[in-house]
Amino acid sequence: MDSIQHAAQEQFQKQSHRYARGHILENTQDLTAAIEGLPLPAGAEALDVATGAGHAAFCLARAGLRVTASDLTPAMLQRVREGAAERGLDIRIREHSAEALPYPDATFHLVSCRVAPHHFSSPAGFVRESARVLKPGGWFIVIDGTVPDDAPDAEAWLHQVEKLRDPSHNRLLPPREWRSLCEQSGLSVQKLEIAFRKQPDLEWYFETAATSAENREKVRALIASATAPIRRHYRLAEEDGKITWWWPMLTLVAQKPA
Ligand SMILES: C[S@@+](CC[C@H](N)C(=O)[O-])C[C@H]1O[C@@H](n2cnc3c(N)ncnc32)[C@H](O)[C@@H]1O
């Protein structure tokens, strides 16, 4: 494991209780929309990478796919085990990193990954491995926070905020970079959309990551001093005494040539 993977594992090993029932990731409309209309065969094999507490994996299983849920953090996989049992879903669970997938070539009809690649030490390795384990004609779906392609100030500001909030954060990729990684791995991008998702409470956001008091202050200072273009870009606001903002989320759907 490299140092970035190790930092992510350490962070999520401590925070797994925050990611099960009641977390905003329980809402999987984004993934439902992404798989809608994809021509997947009945009982298609799906791999959900960096599955966290398993919300995306549960969504795929409910849609009739045979799901393998994987993550590098044992405590998160325990949440998946419990969540699958509670929901009566049959899900296989595997512990491994996103950058090295322990499966033969052409194993899966679908590889998905939601709200996790910003922790990866090698997004390029993850895309390359995903392309390898997909069957010809298989589908690759990434949903993650993103930064604008040509707005270095907005990009740098969000990176600072994310890193202070959770030091295991690595990097949010702009859409152009995702497209290029897919192309380098022979995946053809069929859809790339940005939607803004509301973060309703800065304090909740800190709590889910156990942000230190010192770093909370630094983030508040960054918010207070954010320039007008940054405030506009992330729609920073205050509602009922809570700091809110809108997080740009990328949905990418790509296909491995048949
Ligand atoms: C926010 S959670 C994922 C949420 C989940 N995909 C969902 O849709 O509910 C992030 C997860 O990424 C995992 N993770 C971080 N870096 C990883 C890596 N390099 N390989 C595999 N998993 C990783 C963490 O262990 C954590 O469980």
Side-chain angles (χ1 to χ4, degrees):
M1 219 184 289
D2 63 40
S3 62
I4 295 173
Q5 292 169 330
H6 192 260
Q9 192 192 57
E10 211 175 18
Q11 171 72 6
F12 285 97
Q13 193 65 16
K14 283 192 304 218
Q15 290 302 105
S16 73
H17 60 288
R18 294 275 180 191
Y19 283 83
R21 287 255 188 231
H23 194 283
I24 53 172
L25 287 169
E26 213 175 359
N27 179 341
T28 49
Q29 277 170 0
D30 48 3
L31 183 59
T32 302
I35 58 172
E36 203 179 322
L38 293 186
L40 291 162
E45 291 286 343
L47 172 67
D48 189 46
V49 174
T51 196
H55 301 300
F58 302 153
C59 168
L60 296 175
R62 282 191 296 259
L65 282 78
R66 286 170 45 79
V67 181
T68 301
S70 69
D71 201 284
L72 53 60
T73 306
M76 294 304 266
L77 292 175
Q78 182 55 27
R79 302 284 162 190
V80 184
R81 223 166 264 123
E82 292 161 6
E86 255 176 50
R87 293 165 177 81
L89 296 170
D90 180 21
I91 289 183
R92 278 159 294 176
I93 292 172
R94 297 284 302 269
E95 187 182 319
H96 58 73
S97 79
E99 291 87 354
L101 304 178
Y103 308 99
D105 296 359
T107 301
F108 298 99
H109 297 90
L110 173 79
V111 174
S112 60
C113 185
R114 190 174 77 131
V115 192
H118 56 274
H119 291 286
F120 295 171
S121 56
S122 172
F126 156 62
V127 178
R128 197 167 46 243
E129 276 290 86
S130 299
R132 179 184 67 73
V133 301
L134 276 172
K135 293 179 186 291
W139 296 90
F140 176 63
I141 296 179
V142 168
I143 298 173
D144 199 15
T146 188
V147 284
D149 271 324
D150 295 305
D153 291 349
E155 174 173 351
W157 185 87
L158 191 55
H159 275 137
Q160 267 181 295
V161 167
E162 292 281 15
K163 196 90 189 154
L164 286 165
R165 180 238 173 195
D166 170 4
S168 80
H169 170 90
N170 190 30
R171 192 171 161 246
L172 293 159
L173 271 60
R176 196 182 292 143
E177 202 166 323
W178 274 115
R179 187 180 285 281
S180 147
L181 290 181
C182 286
E183 285 163 3
Q184 284 162 30
S185 289
L187 297 173
S188 147
V189 177
Q190 303 293 316
K191 180 167 122 178
L192 197 162
E193 283 175 3
I194 311 294
F196 281 74
R197 187 164 176 167
K198 190 175 185 182
Q199 292 288 347
D201 182 5
L202 181 67
E203 298 308 316
W204 173 86
Y205 196 54
F206 287 150
E207 288 304 315
T208 57
T211 310
S212 68
E214 189 189 345
N215 283 7
R216 290 180 194 214
E217 270 319 302
K218 287 182 183 165
V219 171
R220 288 191 196 101
L222 280 172
I223 290 172
S225 63
T227 61
I230 288 171
R231 301 192 77 79
R232 251 196 324 276
H233 189 81
Y234 301 116
R235 298 193 229 165
L236 274 165
E238 216 178 300
E239 284 174 27
D240 305 326
K242 292 179 176 166
I243 293 174
T244 63
W245 77 104
W246 292 72
W247 195 14
M249 297 291 297
L250 165 141
T251 294
L252 175 144
V253 180
Q255 190 177 25
K256 181 166 172 171

